[in-house]
Amino acid sequence: MVATVKEALRLVIDPELGYNIVDLGLVYDVAIEDGGVANITMTTTTRGCPATNYLKDGARDAAWSVVGVEFVDVKLTYEPPWTPEMMSVEAKRHLGIADGDGW
């Protein structure tokens, strides 16, 4: 079910970067407990990001759409801090970023 939840989270698009939160590296962990409890640990690109609530709500709603998920807990963390290196190759390509480019 973890893979299905992660796939659902790809439907959540960061409004500023225009790409999904999984490939941007904003989702740090997805765990499923007995009873269909989905625990998602995620971050934002910066503290105080204006899209924080939008992204958290989107992650919650996307996970809840998965059959078998009965409850969703989304935790926000800034440890470790997000860096562009956390993005997938596809996300970097989409944003025109080369590995090691400016970080």
Side-chain angles (χ1 to χ4, degrees), residues 56-71:
K56 281 182 68 178
D57 291 348
R60 181 200 64 222
D61 294 348
W64 232 328
S65 75
V66 173
V67 174
V69 172
E70 299 297 326
F71 182 80

Side-chain angles (χ1 to χ4, degrees), residues 18-78:
Y19 214 74
N20 75 74
I21 62 174
V22 173
D23 288 316
L24 287 173
L26 300 179
V27 176
Y28 287 173
D29 186 56
V30 175
I32 308 295
E33 295 178 19
D34 290 341
V37 177
N39 294 296
I40 299 167
T41 304
M42 64 178 291
T43 194
T44 58
T45 55
T46 60
R47 289 182 185 263
C49 171
T52 298
N53 289 334
Y54 172 84
L55 296 173
K56 281 182 68 178
D57 291 348
R60 181 200 64 222
D61 294 348
W64 232 328
S65 75
V66 173
V67 174
V69 172
E70 299 297 326
F71 182 80
V72 180
D73 182 29
V74 179
K75 292 183 178 89
L76 192 66
T77 185
Y78 292 101

